[in-house]
Amino acid sequence: MDRYEPQQIEPKWQQVWEDARAFYVANPEDPAQTPRERKFYMLEMLPYPSGPLHMGHVLNYTLGDVITHYRRRNGYTVLRPMGFDSFGLPAENAAIREGGHPREITEQRIATIRTQMRRLGWAIDWDREVSAHEPTYYRWTQWLFLKFYEAGLAYRKEAPVNWCPNDQTVLANEQVIDGRCERCGAQVEARNLEQWFFRITAYSDALLDDHATIDWPERTIAIQRNWIGRSEGAEVVFRVEALDLDLPVFTTRPDTLFGATFMVLAPEHPLAARLAAGTEQEPEVREYLRRAAVRSTEERETKEKDGVFSGRYALNPASGEEIPIWIADYVLMEYGTGAIMAVPAHDERDFAFAKRYGLPVARVVEPLEGEAEEEGAFSAHTANERLVNSGEFSGLPAPEGARRIVEWLGERGRGRPAVSYRLRDWGFSRQRYWGCPIPIVYCGRCGIVPVPEEELPVLLPEVDDYRPKGIPPLASNEAWLRVSCPSCGGEGRREAETMDTFVDSSWYFLRYCDPHNDRAPFERAIVDYWLPVDQYVGGIDHATGHLLYSRFFVKVLNDLGLVGFREPFARVFHQGWVRLGGSKMSKSRGNVTSPDELARMYGADAVRLYILFMGPADQDMEWTEEGVEGIARFLRRLWRVVNAVAEDAAPPGSEDSEPTPLLRKAHETIVKVGDDIGRRFVFNTPIAAVMELVNELSPATDDPAARFATETVVSLIQPYAPHIAEELWQRLGRERLWEQAWPAADQALLELDTFELVIQVNGKVRDRVEVPATLQEAELIERAKASPRVQALLDGKQVRQAIVVPRRLVNLVV
RNA sequence: GCCGGGGUGGCGAAACUGGAGAUACGCGCCUGACUUAAAAUCAGGUGUCCCCAUCGGGGGCGUAAGGGUUCGAGUCCCUUCCCCGGCACCA
């Protein structure tokens, strides 16, 4: 028998699969008429090509691979594509670090990753590969942008952005770490700049409601729910008589309206300066606004609350009292209306502020029973509380009081029920070079003019100096910038900003379905056939980013009639982090382990098995190579045992054999592995189950069932270790394991005639006896009592109760 | 502070709806076989305390800590402690 040499057999089988186009899948001829029951869209989050793959990726894609093989062999047509999220900061930063053009660096990296992926033997349909930076792809990203723009869902407005004063550039949120620039460490400032936004807030409720239609991890849905942050409450209008102004506020606690003893405006509130104008507070307010404007976000959040009196008063619409209006930066312009009614008796922040500036505190809610709490303890708006000091509403339970007060306000035109969200529109323009150009022209006469569809793509020009410098690098490229206005033909200038890379990845799973289409981003019938993705696998770090954006995109495309579904991913699974030195393995942290060396030493099959054997796939794991020896041993043993059987045991066709324990074990393993992968979505225990079966097999090749058990082992391990499985399958005289039906267990064999009855006395095991499976409860109890060891223990005592668990145990209580 | 996830042998971890023997499978370690030797391979052992004993056999205690429900709890409930991740002035 020859030795197990993965370096020989692995490339050999990879070539066989490639030649047979084993994992390529064609679209149905007539997708609209093709039944969808046996289709399966398997997708894993596509990699950023900012460096070679590390063990985190290996876990991600090996998981996808096991599911792919399992589904294929269960009769599904599996679409399993791959691509590269090749635009954006990770790739550009790599280029800046290493010198060279982002395109060259990116394309080198893609080539490297592709080689790694092939080396690991993943079953990928490479005909469908796409990369975000290719004009054939981003042409359609631009096309989709235009559709959003036409629908009023992409727009420009001035908004605060993260500004690094040192690098003179706007930073993406993900480049800001603890309020500091990721690269230089400078404190990031907020700056108002004109930016492009997607109106994702128009879909807040749809994004929340449709959670009910998808099978995602509870925690991911919880994260999205918190992020969208829907709060129900009311808008209440406060009157400023002196200036003939109305100041609306949002509150979740209209029941506490009588306790609103002052108001607070955010310093950025457009009326802040106007309120103070002409009062003796004016200079002080001006000074406060000036100071607040240069405060860092970090300082704003951590300092003690401060503020300044505006010099004006507003009318509390409920109590009719004049209350002072203050300006303070603990109120945020981005949420609600940028102004609040302050109820110090029932809100911690208002309370702290009132204490500091000696403002009045009026308690208006108290518990139904028990003592009123001390000052500074805050109610929770429950039915166990009632309103006090609230005029005609006093005495009402808090929730009802809230409803009645809002009703009362409505009748007087001073308020209405309102909903507020913490979700904000998605700012997607970047002052960077390496991204998808935004197909817009600015014209002195026509304003913002979209580039006509037929002129797409707006190509990203090749430039030498692509470094960020405060203004977009493309803005200094005069030759590219100047263009005639598509509308009037006059002088125009191109949009020099590029798109956030999350735009590229919000629709890539659609392009995979129809990747070579040059008339449209995709044909609707084709995406309607494949989508939604049946199983998506990727990191939970994308819960509020990519996973939310993609849902938004699909909803918009559905509303535009471009797709026939409203959710992109029917089911999501998050693999755990592979950690090294305690923190998540990632290129930006620099703590990565490449699979290459391990694959050289032990082979791809060993790497694949090991990463999944380390622990439950959805749990974080600390990377270590201790233990990989065990997998290598297992593979060598498998090799030896199967080869021995191939040479000695009965040839194919003689599988019918006595129901020996080995045969039964083989069938049990079939059940276990299928149930773990298919139903439980557990990937480490199937490996253990196959190891057990191999352990049974090794000394027992003379068992008549050895051949069946051996074939079962090879067949079951194939999704994990496809190369060795294919080789051994061939040596067993069979072929093309990758397309063999998944083995089915013989139910008749699994049902035994007898079982071992466990006999407990007072919950402690005292004996076990072999009994026929057909015995009824009463007979089982008789058998239990008949046991000599139980007799000794019972010793004439009265059996008070007997619990019978069918096919398991009898517990006698004395 | 809030929201998630977790705590089981020397280590990674099993135990799937409360139902035997907790710790499968693997790593490590110990003993032995083969070998001049090593590697590889194979066999056996490996929670803890105690008792009887010649091979061997029997028993108590053990799943972060404490309490509870139950005939029966790693699994359910309550309290506490510890670790990891995310969010954080959202009115």
Side-chain angles (χ1 to χ4, degrees):
Chain A
M1 185 195 311
D2 52 348
R3 275 182 45 195
Y4 169 51
E5 287 182 75
Q7 307 311 336
Q8 303 283 309
I9 64 168
E10 290 181 350
K12 179 178 100 185
W13 286 107
Q14 284 159 13
Q15 194 57 50
V16 169
W17 298 325
E18 190 61 33
D19 292 346
R21 295 183 56 79
F23 308 118
Y24 291 74
V25 55
N27 288 331
E29 296 250 330
D30 186 354
Q33 299 303 315
T34 309
R36 291 159 37 87
E37 292 79 53
R38 302 309 280 179
K39 72 93 187 174
F40 195 91
Y41 190 172
M42 175 68 227
L43 184 70
E44 301 106 282
M45 291 181 185
L46 81 180
Y48 290 123
S50 53
L53 299 184
H54 55 71
M55 296 313 302
H57 297 105
V58 174
L59 173 59
N60 191 188
Y61 300 123
T62 304
L63 262 172
D65 212 50
V66 169
I67 300 165
T68 297
H69 284 296
Y70 178 76
R71 287 284 169 176
R72 281 175 44 84
R73 293 184 54 203
N74 276 281
Y76 289 84
T77 302
V78 180
L79 174 63
R80 203 283 187 101
M82 187 56 68
F84 300 94
D85 198 1
S86 47
F87 263 147
L89 296 173
E92 188 176 299
N93 286 344
I96 291 171
R97 227 171 20 243
E98 293 167 28
H101 194 275
R103 178 187 315 283
E104 290 162 16
I105 299 271
T106 299
E107 287 174 359
Q108 279 168 21
R109 292 267 156 90
I110 288 175
T112 305
I113 294 175
R114 224 189 267 120
T115 307
Q116 287 181 298
M117 289 182 161
R118 287 175 197 272
R119 178 66 193 88
L120 286 162
W122 291 324
I124 293 165
D125 180 348
W126 286 106
D127 276 357
R128 295 171 181 268
E129 178 189 344
V130 298
S131 289
H133 77 286
E134 288 161 355
T136 50
Y137 182 86
Y138 71 71
R139 170 185 180 185
W140 300 111
T141 307
Q142 294 174 342
W143 187 90
L144 289 169
F145 162 83
L146 292 178
K147 295 294 161 202
F148 278 61
Y149 181 76
E150 285 161 20
L153 294 169
Y155 67 96
R156 240 174 119 70
K157 74 166 180 194
E158 194 175 280
V161 293
N162 306 306
W163 180 260
C164 174
N166 186 42
D167 287 346
Q168 290 287 295
T169 182
V170 167
L171 299 177
N173 284 335
E174 57 271 27
Q175 274 200 302
V176 181
I177 293 164
D178 293 333
R180 290 173 180 278
C181 172
E182 179 190 60
R183 279 218 313 283
C184 71
Q187 192 125 104
V188 169
E189 298 168 2
R191 256 198 197 190
N192 274 325
L193 287 177
E194 261 213 359
Q195 297 282 295
W196 282 99
F197 289 87
F198 282 126
R199 209 179 292 281
I200 190 170
T201 54
Y203 285 78
S204 299
D205 280 324
L207 289 165
L208 284 172
D209 295 345
D210 290 349
H211 277 144
T213 68
I214 49 183
D215 182 13
W216 285 25
E218 200 44 58
R219 57 178 173 148
T220 314
I221 288 182
I223 290 170
Q224 289 201 344
R225 211 186 290 125
N226 289 341
W227 185 260
I228 296 168
R230 183 188 152 104
S231 303
E232 291 192 26
E235 189 170 285
V236 183
V237 181
F238 286 71
R239 178 97 189 134
V240 187
E241 284 295 349
L243 296 175
D244 191 23
L245 270 181
D246 278 335
L247 274 181
V249 304
F250 174 75
T251 178
T252 52
R253 297 291 307 275
D255 52 318
T256 64
L257 180 54
F258 283 83
T261 51
F262 60 101
M263 286 185 75
V264 188
L265 267 60
E268 299 82 6
H269 197 287
L271 294 177
R274 199 173 134 202
L275 280 178
T279 71
E280 60 184 30
Q281 287 298 106
E282 187 170 356
E284 212 183 314
V285 169
R286 252 181 230 279
E287 172 60 17
Y288 184 78
L289 296 184
R290 200 187 54 72
R291 282 210 323 272
V294 296
R295 259 180 193 153
S296 70
T297 317
E298 190 188 357
E299 192 191 349
R300 184 173 179 158
E301 281 172 9
T302 50
K303 71 170 171 53
E304 201 182 335
K305 290 181 186 11
D306 60 21
V308 60
F309 175 48
S310 72
R312 300 287 180 185
Y313 294 82
L315 209 59
N316 180 325
S319 68
E321 276 170 31
E322 292 249 294
I323 58 173
I325 305 173
W326 284 65
I327 293 161
D329 65 3
Y330 80 92
V331 173
L332 307 175
M333 192 58 221
E334 307 89 80
Y335 187 76
T337 64
I340 61 158
M341 64 178 216
V343 185
H346 304 290
D347 182 280
E348 273 184 78
R349 296 152 303 176
D350 298 343
F351 183 75
F353 195 77
K355 277 281 152 202
R356 175 158 181 183
Y357 292 104
L359 294 160
V361 177
R363 173 182 296 276
V364 291
V365 177
E366 64 179 33
L368 278 179
E369 289 165 15
E371 297 291 297
E373 301 132 55
E374 288 174 36
E375 269 203 347
F378 309 102
S379 68
H381 192 216
T382 67
N384 291 327
E385 292 165 330
R386 62 172 177 190
L387 271 53
V388 293
N389 304 323
S390 295
E392 62 185 278
F393 304 99
S394 293
L396 292 175
E400 193 192 340
R403 267 194 308 278
R404 295 272 294 275
I405 288 177
V406 176
E407 225 169 82
W408 183 89
L409 287 168
E411 286 159 11
R412 284 155 187 76
R414 306 310 293 170
R416 57 185 177 83
V419 177
S420 195
Y421 302 87
R422 87 206 300 169
L423 181 70
R424 314 211 185 120
D425 276 341
W426 169 16
F428 68 92
S429 46
R430 297 284 177 266
Q431 291 65 38
R432 291 287 204 133
Y433 167 72
W434 189 236
C436 177
I438 298 171
I440 285 289
V441 172
Y442 296 101
C443 168
R445 209 171 324 160
C446 313
I448 298 178
V449 183
V451 173
E453 271 180 38
E454 54 280 7
E455 289 177 27
L456 299 183
V458 173
L459 288 171
L460 181 67
E462 295 283 337
V463 299
D464 295 330
D465 186 9
Y466 55 84
R467 275 151 215 279
K469 50 179 81 65
I471 53 162
L474 292 178
S476 49
N477 190 333
E478 278 298 314
W480 178 81
L481 219 54
R482 285 163 177 275
V483 64
S484 57
C485 167
S487 174
C488 70
E491 222 172 84
R493 292 173 76 79
R494 288 195 188 281
E495 172 61 82
E497 297 183 335
T498 53
M499 294 188 215
D500 181 1
T501 183
F502 280 115
V503 181
D504 307 322
S505 58
S506 290
W507 75 282
Y508 76 104
F509 43 90
L510 301 172
R511 184 68 179 172
Y512 281 152
C513 298
D514 194 9
H516 308 297
N517 194 329
D518 58 4
R519 303 172 316 280
F522 45 81
E523 193 182 302
R524 174 166 167 171
I526 299 176
V527 294
D528 282 358
Y529 171 76
W530 286 114
L531 273 284
V533 168
D534 294 276
Q535 182 65 60
Y536 201 20
V537 179
I540 196 170
D541 51 334
H542 290 108
T544 56
H546 165 64
L547 286 174
L548 198 60
Y549 298 148
S550 299
R551 295 184 61 218
F552 162 63
F553 254 56
V554 161
K555 287 181 193 311
V556 172
L557 296 180
N558 179 250
D559 286 340
L560 295 176
L562 292 167
V563 304
F565 43 91
R566 286 192 70 74
E567 285 289 340
F569 316 124
R571 211 169 160 208
V572 166
F573 178 88
H574 300 296
Q575 81 276 16
W577 300 133
V578 179
R579 290 198 286 231
L580 190 63
S583 59
K584 175 192 164 191
M585 216 179 253
S586 80
K587 276 164 280 196
S588 56
R589 281 171 230 260
N591 61 334
V592 295
T593 303
S594 158
D596 301 352
E597 180 58 23
L598 215 55
R600 241 193 315 280
M601 285 171 66
Y602 299 99
D605 286 336
V607 174
R608 300 167 54 117
L609 277 167
Y610 183 55
I611 193 74
L612 289 177
F613 188 63
M614 278 186 78
D618 58 350
Q619 229 169 264
D620 295 357
M621 53 186 96
E622 181 69 27
W623 176 255
T624 163
E625 283 171 31
E626 283 172 41
V628 70
E629 253 326 309
I631 290 293
R633 257 199 281 271
F634 163 68
L635 287 170
R636 282 193 296 262
R637 171 189 276 229
L638 178 71
W639 180 263
R640 221 170 335 102
V641 166
V642 176
N643 272 294
V645 170
E647 286 161 23
D648 302 339
S654 61
E655 292 94 350
D656 292 334
S657 54
E658 295 296 299
T660 62
L662 177 62
L663 188 67
R664 203 167 278 136
K665 178 89 180 169
H667 283 274
E668 282 166 5
T669 308
I670 290 170
V671 172
K672 165 79 177 162
V673 173
D675 191 52
D676 281 358
I677 300 176
R679 181 183 65 86
R680 293 178 67 209
F681 234 64
V682 169
F683 299 89
N684 52 334
T685 47
I687 302 173
V690 173
M691 285 174 167
E692 279 189 63
L693 185 53
V694 172
N695 290 345
E696 295 291 319
L697 202 55
S698 40
T701 43
D702 57 337
D703 188 308
R707 178 143 204 122
F708 177 80
T710 304
E711 288 189 354
T712 298
V713 157
V714 172
S715 182
L716 293 180
I717 207 65
Q718 182 266 352
Y720 291 86
H723 311 88
I724 191 174
E726 203 67 56
E727 176 73 24
L728 293 174
W729 191 250
Q730 191 186 49
R731 289 175 184 225
L732 287 165
R734 317 197 54 167
E735 53 183 13
R736 296 168 82 91
L737 178 55
W738 70 83
E739 56 191 24
Q740 294 302 305
W742 190 253
D746 182 346
Q747 280 307 316
L749 262 172
L750 293 171
E751 276 156 33
L752 299 168
D753 300 340
T754 63
F755 71 96
E756 193 180 51
L757 178 70
V758 171
I759 303 164
Q760 295 180 337
V761 177
N762 287 342
K764 297 215 160 160
V765 179
R766 296 303 178 183
D767 203 2
R768 323 180 168 100
V769 291
E770 196 73 14
V771 300
T774 52
L775 290 190
Q776 299 302 303
E777 278 203 15
E779 295 171 300
L780 289 172
I781 292 168
E782 283 318 306
R783 294 284 184 123
K785 286 183 182 163
S787 150
R789 303 182 53 170
V790 171
Q791 291 269 305
L793 275 154
L794 290 180
D795 191 27
K797 290 185 194 116
Q798 184 70 31
V799 174
R800 283 192 321 196
Q801 199 186 351
I803 286 115
V804 178
V805 180
R807 306 195 61 104
R808 256 229 165 86
L809 61 79
V810 169
N811 185 11
L812 303 173
V813 185
V814 300

